Each structure stands twice: as structure tokens, then as C-alpha cells.
Amino acid sequence: MEQAPAEEWLKRRRNFQKMLSENAMEGCLITQNVGIYYFTGSMQTGYLFIPAEGEAAYYVRRSLTRALSESSVRTVDLGSFRQFGSRLAEDYPKLFASGTPRIGADLDVLPAQLYLRLVEMLPDAKWMDASVLLRRLRSVKSPYEISRIEKAAQAAAAAVEHGILQLREGMTELELMATLEQVMRNAGHAGLMRMRGYNQEMPTGMVAAGEAAAEPTYFDGPAGSRGLSAAVPQSSSLRRIKHGEPILIDIGCCIDGYVIDQTRTAVIGRLTPHLQAAYETAEAILRKTEAALAPGVSPENLYEQAIEMAAEAGLADHFMGYGPDQVKFLGHGIGLELDEWPVLAKGFRDPLEPGMTIAVEPKFTFPGLGVVGIENTYLMTENGFRTLTISPEKLYELSV
Amino acid sequence: MEQAPAEEWLKRRRNFQKMLSENAMEGCLITQNVGIYYFTGSMQTGYLFIPAEGEAAYYVRRSLTRALSESSVRTVDLGSFRQFGSRLAEDYPKLFASGTPRIGADLDVLPAQLYLRLVEMLPDAKWMDASVLLRRLRSVKSPYEISRIEKAAQAAAAAVEHGILQLREGMTELELMATLEQVMRNAGHAGLMRMRGYNQEMPTGMVAAGEAAAEPTYFDGPAGSRGLSAAVPQSSSLRRIKHGEPILIDIGCCIDGYVIDQTRTAVIGRLTPHLQAAYETAEAILRKTEAALAPGVSPENLYEQAIEMAAEAGLADHFMGYGPDQVKFLGHGIGLELDEWPVLAKGFRDPLEPGMTIAVEPKFTFPGLGVVGIENTYLMTENGFRTLTISPEKLYELSV
């Protein structure tokens, strides 16, 4: 099991402490598994408290044994949860001396029931939402983090290469997906990609073809998809793949916690000229985005530029979903979670920085016909970008 | 795509309305995808409001198109979320006439950030935690729901049958898991099993062998497991399976949203007499639990009976995990989520009822050696129970 260098965990905590100070928070309680892992190197059940100044502490319910062997930070038994409020006050007397400390927490993921218990335990604390700080901090990746995404990219590319060889008319979408999954699992794929958004979930992406790919759904992505039933309303369905229809292979892979996201479009035979042209417009948007992709650029501008190109091609209504089911972004940050920052969308104006990893996914949806598009994950560098996705970029046209 | 009969959704809402009235709540806002599906037949992004009296409404953000085609309830566009508070007050004038209505919500899963926005939107409402009511209601399954779990049980049994044939010394745990997953995916497995518990997640269960299975972890289950890394600290690892060690095959499958859970133990060659005896004790505990399994019985008593049997066998420290990493239950309800009610644990005294579906999983953990055990999912009937798991019950001893 590879881990980040020992000093990296400390650096992450130090950077976050700086953010806490700048935002007038005296400490932050991290409750989410992904957040705890990011700062400690361990993902056991418990709470991580990071004071703006001083040493963090990881209060573990289970497994303490494992947390002690993995964690880079002071790690102790959580003990009675009822006493946790007074325990924190004892462990951080200076911080709680004011009587009304401002304490951050990951309120975007912490369930209300648990939040209300914490409020009750520390009734004088002023609880703040630290989720924006956490998302900003995590948007810039370290060399170790990038190496994990690169490993995931290798597994995803191997899966596509194998899957394309197996693809046959009459296969179900799910059969093709299961074939891809087996390759990625054997390479170490965790079996799911973590998502931060409430009610969002994703095992390995989607393989969807023809009109099934274009059915609208709740999932916060540009392609729809029929899925398996009203209770599993996304990703692959049991529909059989036909000749001449677009097959969207939008997959990811999670290695050592880190996720890649990529899309390729395939067809058995040829696409109709209209869909072929839409695919080419998606590739052209990707090229134009790459041409602008550099530190200092506003994510919002990349989105607006893509919207303009789609409109110029007469495809405005089909871009990133169809009609009322369109999503309002061109891409998203990616790392320990599939839905990280920055989002290439209106309102995201903080300039791109070296170390950010971003999936860019121009797609066009045609109800009754299908979805075409392409997606790469990019690393922002000092001068521009490096493409992390390694699958060949093309429309995969098969003769079988 | 099979769906429950049209009248079933109405019946579920009616039963919940009765609970709301009995618990002095004037309405309940369901925010979680699983909860929305349970009451509407649709799992799109939005909010379901169920008044204690009158008609429910499903306010959909995306996809409204899809929700309209699936939902059994009045389904409308959510519109501006900022206006949602006043919208509810307008749509349910009688309910909000008191000025301070008691409104329930699924606070055990609703993120605090969203909860705080809702509180702000309806500042005079008294928000209540309705999660206990939801968990109670959903613990008793309909014939449709049971039919879905039975379908999942068939897929899981087919996977085990196939996996046992593929099992070879030197395979990694993850390779065997990927083989099982492919069979279940082709049968319609969603690729993950939903869990209600915060920070809990599970693609398809675990395949783990020897000392790797016995490594403690955060996951709220009796077996530990090494997993793939500190960032994926559960389920299967890349360790190769050896001769003579216990191989725990604890898998589930999610069909049309419903989950089965089952465990079988295998070995290439023979187990040591000590582990063999522990396996037999697990089977004996399962038999004794079955002998007591009937409507009216207290879940707590089943747990206590199992604890006693483990102690009598001299295995108290090894039962349901080892030492400080033991979990305090024998089994759990199962349905749309893997971690439903009732839990066979202390404090669960409400008598078992016909229609409940419960996974019972006696297991013994031996650090450095492995985990042995067995798990079936049961349906409570009018007079006793029916076993839903259909894999043969035995220690799978392979000669290869």
C-alpha cells in the first residue's frame, strides 16, 4: 500500500490552519471519512479536530488499533461521545477560553442529527460552515495525489482498450460495463467513486447507448441514462447495444482513493452525419478549452466559451443535456471525490492554479438518438496543462 | 423495469401519515433519494412533502420529465429553492395556519448545510427528527419488496456458485470479488449497496482471506478486512489467497434497489481444527437463532442468546470481531439499504413482525488467522421465518 510522504499530511494541516486563521475560525471539526483521510492518512470512524494554532487530534471510535497504525497525527480513543464536548474543551483550553469560539465543520456533508448533537455538546461555540475552505484546499493536488490519479488513468485506459475488443452488437450496456469493471477491479479499483453531493452516487460511471443514454435523470452530469430501474435511475441499463448508434463510455476508476474520469464515444458501424458532426463539435470544444487552459484563467470563462461554440454549431439546446435537463457546467475538479472544485461553471471566477485536476466533458444529447462526447482529466501545470487521461482520442468505429 | 403495484405507493404514504399523526407531526419533508423513492416510485432530485393529512407533493429539481413519468404522487417543478418555504406554506395553508407547525425530516441523513437553509426558509416551523419513524415503517416489507430481495438472492447464489468454481490458490481476494461482481452485474446488480449510516459505503461486500480478513477496520460489520489502502480500508485486498486459510465470502447484490446480504466460508484444503470448530459454532448459533426466530420475539434476546453461545464455546473475545473492535450486534434489517432496522442488538426490544427482512451473521475473528462464519437473510412470516438466501449452507472445502 503506497502512502503519501510523511511530511505531506503535516503540510496539508498547516495549509488548512492558515486558512482557518484567515477566516477567523479558531478550529475545525472534520467528520467526513474523506476529510479525515486527507488530513491524517487514516479513514477510521471518528472526529478530527484541527485548531487554527497547535496540534490536531484524531478521536477514534473504531478501529483505534488501525488508526494508530496509519495516522500521521495525535490519535486517541474517542471514548464516550457524550463527553466529547467537554473533552475538546479540556484538550484545547486556550481555544475555548474565550467562551464562544468559532468552530468550523464540514456542514455540507455532516448529517443534521449529528450536527445538532455537537451543537448541544458545545452550546457556546459558534459553528461555522468550513466546507468552502476544505474544497478550496483540496482543489490543488500534491505530486503524490497526482501519481494516484495517473495510476487510475492507466487502469481506465486498459479497461477501454479491453472493452472495445469485447464490444459486440446485442451485448447489454451492463455487460459491457461489467467487462470494463472487471479490468479496473483487478487493477485495484475500489468499486465506487466517492461523491460529495447529497444523494449522488456512482460505482464506475456509465456505459449507455442510443436513446437509453439520452433519457434524462437526476445524476449531476451532462449525459442522462436509463439505468436499471426507477430505483437505480442512472448508468447502464439492460438494453442491448445496436448497430449505428452512439455508445457513450463514461467511466472512472478509484485507486488508493483517487479518481479519474474520462469519456469516449464508440459506434458499431458509422454514426449518422448529424451525430458525427456533433461529436466533432465536442472534440473541437475540448481543443478550444485546452488552448485556453492555463493558470490564471477563470473557470467561468471556459464554460462560457464552450456555450458559445455549441451555439455557433446550432447545438445550444443539446449541449450538456437536453432542454430543461441541461446541466450548467463544462467540467469539474476531481481527486478523492468525483465532484470536486473548481467547477467550470458560472460563478467560479477564482483563477485556475497549478496542481488543480479537472475533468472537461463536452457532450451533446439527442433525445431518442443518444449522447456523443469526449472527456479528459487534466492537470494544471505552471505554464499550461498536462492531459492525465491516456486513452486514444477518437470516435471508436468498429466494424463488427 | 418492474415496479410495485400502483396502490402500494399510496399505502406506504398512508401508513406514514398515520405515524405522523400519532407522533404529533403535521407533516414531513423527505430529502433523501431512497426515502423519496420509497414513497413515490421515483428517485429524482427534489423534495417530497407528506402532510399528516391530505395529499403529498414531490417538488422536483431534476429531472422533472423523468419524475413525471415515474412518480405515483402529485409531481411539480421545484422552481426557485429560495421560494420553497413560502411555496410549502402556500400549498399547505391549513397545516401552516397554526404558525408553528411541527415538521419532520430525515435528519439522520440530511446534511446540516441544507437543514440550516430549510430552518431559515420556514423560521417558525419546529423541525423534528422523523428518522426513527421512517426506519420503523420501512422495516416491514411488502410482497413486491420481498420479490426484489429474492431476485437479488438468486443473483448472489449464482455468483457464489460460479466463484467457487473459479477459486484457486494464488488468486487475489480482489480477483475473486471481481469474478463474483461480474456475475451479479450481468444479473442487474446496481454495482453498490446503499447504506444509511454516515461515512459507510459498500460496493458488493467483501472477499477476504487469512489474516487480511481479520484486520480491524471502521466498517460497521463483524469482519474486519485489510482493503486496498488506508483510503479504501475495507473489503477485498490485493493479497493472494493461500491453502488452508479461511476465505470469507460476504457479498450482497442490489436488484431494483433491494439488497440481499449473505456470507459463506470457503477453504482450499482444510481448516485447522480450531477454526473448523469456530465455524461450526457459527452454524450452531445460526440454527439456534432460527429456532427462536418468530414474530413477537425481541431482537435483543436473539443477540443475547448468541453472545451466550459464543461464551459457552470459549469464543467470547472472538465473536463479531476481536477485542476492542467487536461490533455489538448479531444481524440487521435489510431492504433498500444494507443497514436497516431492526438491529439484533441491545436496546432493540420492539417485537419482530411478519414482513421484516433480517440478515443474521454470526462470525468469529482470529487475528493473524482469519474470519469464519455464515450469514443468511430471513423473511419473518406469520408463524416463523423463511430463508431468502439460497446458497447451500456449508463450509466450502475445495481440493484445488
Side-chain angles (χ1 to χ4, degrees):
Chain A
M1 297 186 194
E2 281 195 54
Q3 273 284 45
E7 65 274 17
E8 182 160 334
W9 312 100
L10 182 61
K11 194 176 162 193
R12 294 179 187 178
R13 295 194 300 272
R14 290 247 168 97
N15 288 340
F16 189 58
Q17 288 181 309
K18 200 168 156 242
M19 288 176 116
L20 289 174
S21 294
E22 286 165 1
N23 287 275
M25 295 188 203
E26 288 154 76
C28 185
L29 191 69
I30 312 289
T31 69
Q32 186 214 24
N33 57 354
V34 173
I36 291 172
Y37 172 74
Y38 181 78
F39 287 116
T40 67
S42 171
M43 200 184 255
Q44 301 302 301
T45 297
Y47 301 90
L48 173 68
F49 188 74
I50 303 182
E53 283 175 32
E55 201 192 350
Y58 181 17
Y59 300 89
V60 180
R61 171 172 289 145
R62 180 167 178 269
S63 159
L64 179 62
T65 318
R66 184 152 184 166
L68 284 167
S69 76
E70 292 172 338
S71 159
S72 69
V73 74
R74 191 167 74 91
T75 298
V76 295
D77 189 355
L78 173 64
S80 159
F81 187 59
R82 287 188 192 178
Q83 308 297 322
F84 186 46
S86 47
R87 174 88 176 275
L88 276 177
E90 273 167 39
D91 286 2
Y92 295 93
K94 207 174 130 193
L95 194 154
F96 283 86
S98 77
T100 54
R102 290 159 56 103
I103 310 284
D106 40 12
L107 298 190
D108 60 334
V109 286
L110 171 66
Q113 194 184 74
L114 191 50
Y115 165 76
L116 293 170
R117 287 189 70 183
L118 290 168
V119 168
E120 210 176 303
M121 266 179 211
L122 286 169
D124 298 324
K126 182 161 169 44
W127 289 90
M128 318 286 293
D129 190 352
S131 55
V132 165
L133 305 189
L134 290 164
R135 301 193 77 157
R136 271 200 204 134
L137 177 68
R138 280 179 35 203
S139 67
V140 176
K141 273 71 180 176
S142 72
Y144 168 78
E145 294 184 284
I146 294 159
S147 78
R148 299 302 85 191
I149 301 177
E150 286 176 318
K151 204 175 160 191
Q154 285 166 12
V160 170
E161 195 181 330
H162 177 77
I164 290 288
L165 293 174
Q166 304 295 316
L167 177 55
R168 295 283 180 281
E169 204 179 329
M171 267 182 121
T172 67
E173 295 172 358
L174 193 57
E175 267 176 278
L176 180 54
M177 177 53 103
T179 300
L180 300 169
E181 282 173 350
Q182 194 173 30
V183 175
M184 291 192 286
R185 281 295 252 168
N186 286 331
H189 172 38
L192 54 77
M193 298 187 280
R194 295 188 176 108
M195 295 192 71
R196 195 166 189 92
Y198 185 41
N199 289 329
Q200 297 292 316
E201 58 192 16
M202 185 50 79
T204 335
M206 69 180 270
V207 167
E211 83 282 352
E215 289 183 19
T217 190
Y218 81 97
F219 184 78
D220 197 16
S225 63
R226 180 177 295 168
L228 290 162
S229 76
V232 189
Q234 64 152 338
S235 190
S236 302
S237 79
L238 293 170
R239 178 184 176 284
R240 295 190 184 279
I241 293 168
K242 294 178 197 160
H243 190 271
E245 66 185 13
I247 306 158
L248 200 74
I249 304 174
D250 180 352
I251 58 165
C253 179
C254 173
I255 301 274
D256 294 339
Y258 285 87
V259 178
I260 187 84
D261 195 5
Q262 66 166 62
T263 302
R264 295 295 181 263
T265 303
V267 59
I268 300 168
R270 303 290 293 271
L271 291 181
T272 61
H274 184 59
L275 291 177
Q276 170 94 27
Y279 174 79
E280 283 161 13
T281 303
E283 270 205 7
I285 290 174
L286 199 67
R287 291 289 89 81
K288 185 98 181 229
T289 305
E290 287 175 352
L293 205 57
V297 168
S298 154
E300 180 178 79
N301 290 355
L302 297 174
Y303 174 66
E304 282 167 354
Q305 170 181 284
I307 288 280
E308 270 169 39
M309 280 184 76
E312 280 163 22
L315 293 170
D317 288 348
H318 300 267
F319 188 52
M320 306 305 281
Y322 181 73
D325 291 304
Q326 285 177 310
V327 294
K328 307 291 183 198
F329 63 84
L330 172 68
H332 52 88
I334 189 163
L336 286 169
E337 291 166 319
L338 183 60
D339 49 349
E340 296 203 352
W341 280 9
V343 186
L344 304 187
K346 273 191 189 169
F348 282 82
R349 294 188 200 104
D350 287 348
L352 294 179
E353 291 175 50
M356 287 180 166
T357 43
I358 306 168
V360 182
E361 50 175 332
K363 286 171 191 161
F364 292 98
T365 296
F366 300 91
L369 297 174
V371 180
V372 295
I374 184 164
E375 174 179 30
N376 283 334
T377 295
Y378 298 96
L379 167 67
M380 301 305 301
T381 60
E382 289 297 329
N383 305 309
F385 67 89
R386 183 153 64 79
T387 310
L388 297 178
T389 304
I390 55 180
S391 289
E393 288 181 24
K394 59 175 182 180
L395 177 64
Y396 288 74
E397 293 176 312
L398 309 184
S399 55
V400 284
Chain B
M1 297 187 195
E2 281 195 55
Q3 273 284 43
E7 66 274 17
E8 183 162 331
W9 311 100
L10 184 61
K11 195 176 162 193
R12 294 179 188 178
R13 294 193 300 270
R14 289 248 168 95
N15 287 340
F16 188 59
Q17 288 180 309
K18 201 168 156 243
M19 288 176 119
L20 289 175
S21 294
E22 286 165 0
N23 288 274
M25 294 187 204
E26 287 154 78
C28 185
L29 190 69
I30 312 288
T31 69
Q32 186 215 24
N33 58 354
V34 173
I36 291 172
Y37 172 74
Y38 181 79
F39 288 116
T40 67
S42 172
M43 198 184 256
Q44 300 302 302
T45 297
Y47 301 89
L48 173 69
F49 188 75
I50 304 182
E53 283 175 32
E55 201 191 349
Y58 181 17
Y59 300 89
V60 180
R61 171 172 288 145
R62 178 166 179 268
S63 156
L64 179 62
T65 318
R66 183 150 183 169
L68 284 166
S69 76
E70 292 172 338
S71 158
S72 69
V73 74
R74 190 167 76 89
T75 298
V76 294
D77 189 354
L78 173 64
S80 158
F81 186 60
R82 287 188 192 179
Q83 309 295 321
F84 186 46
S86 48
R87 175 88 175 276
L88 276 176
E90 273 166 37
D91 286 2
Y92 295 93
K94 207 175 131 192
L95 193 153
F96 283 85
S98 75
T100 55
R102 290 160 55 103
I103 310 285
D106 39 13
L107 298 192
D108 60 334
V109 286
L110 172 64
Q113 192 184 74
L114 192 49
Y115 165 76
L116 293 171
R117 287 188 70 180
L118 291 167
V119 167
E120 209 176 305
M121 267 181 209
L122 287 168
D124 299 325
K126 182 163 168 46
W127 288 90
M128 319 283 295
D129 191 352
S131 55
V132 165
L133 305 188
L134 290 164
R135 301 193 78 157
R136 272 202 202 131
L137 177 69
R138 279 179 36 203
S139 68
V140 176
K141 272 72 181 178
S142 72
Y144 167 78
E145 293 184 285
I146 294 159
S147 78
R148 297 302 84 191
I149 300 177
E150 287 176 318
K151 206 175 159 192
Q154 285 166 14
V160 171
E161 196 182 328
H162 177 76
I164 289 289
L165 292 174
Q166 303 296 316
L167 177 55
R168 294 285 180 281
E169 203 179 329
M171 269 181 118
T172 68
E173 294 173 0
L174 192 58
E175 268 177 278
L176 180 55
M177 176 53 103
T179 301
L180 300 169
E181 282 174 351
Q182 193 171 33
V183 174
M184 292 192 285
R185 281 295 251 169
N186 286 330
H189 171 39
L192 55 78
M193 299 188 279
R194 295 189 177 107
M195 297 192 69
R196 196 167 187 91
Y198 184 42
N199 290 331
Q200 298 292 315
E201 59 191 15
M202 185 49 80
T204 335
M206 70 180 268
V207 167
E211 85 282 353
E215 289 183 19
T217 191
Y218 82 96
F219 186 76
D220 198 16
S225 62
R226 179 176 297 169
L228 290 162
S229 75
V232 188
Q234 63 153 339
S235 191
S236 302
S237 80
L238 293 171
R239 179 185 175 282
R240 295 190 183 280
I241 293 168
K242 295 178 197 160
H243 190 272
E245 66 185 12
I247 306 158
L248 200 74
I249 303 174
D250 179 353
I251 58 165
C253 179
C254 173
I255 302 274
D256 294 340
Y258 285 86
V259 177
I260 186 82
D261 195 5
Q262 66 166 60
T263 302
R264 295 294 182 263
T265 303
V267 59
I268 301 169
R270 303 289 293 273
L271 291 181
T272 61
H274 185 59
L275 291 177
Q276 170 93 28
Y279 174 80
E280 283 161 14
T281 303
E283 270 206 6
I285 291 174
L286 198 68
R287 291 288 90 79
K288 186 97 182 233
T289 305
E290 287 175 352
L293 205 58
V297 168
S298 155
E300 179 177 79
N301 290 355
L302 297 174
Y303 174 65
E304 282 169 352
Q305 172 182 281
I307 287 281
E308 272 170 38
M309 281 184 76
E312 280 164 21
L315 293 169
D317 288 347
H318 301 267
F319 188 52
M320 306 305 281
Y322 180 74
D325 291 304
Q326 285 178 310
V327 294
K328 306 291 183 198
F329 63 84
L330 173 68
H332 52 89
I334 189 164
L336 286 170
E337 291 166 318
L338 183 60
D339 50 348
E340 295 204 350
W341 279 9
V343 186
L344 306 187
K346 273 193 190 167
F348 282 82
R349 295 188 198 103
D350 288 348
L352 294 178
E353 292 175 50
M356 286 180 168
T357 43
I358 306 169
V360 182
E361 49 176 332
K363 286 171 190 160
F364 293 98
T365 296
F366 300 90
L369 297 173
V371 180
V372 296
I374 185 165
E375 175 180 28
N376 283 335
T377 296
Y378 298 96
L379 167 67
M380 301 304 303
T381 61
E382 290 298 329
N383 304 310
F385 68 89
R386 183 153 65 77
T387 310
L388 298 178
T389 305
I390 55 180
S391 290
E393 289 180 23
K394 60 175 180 181
L395 178 64
Y396 288 74
E397 293 175 314
L398 310 184
S399 54
V400 283

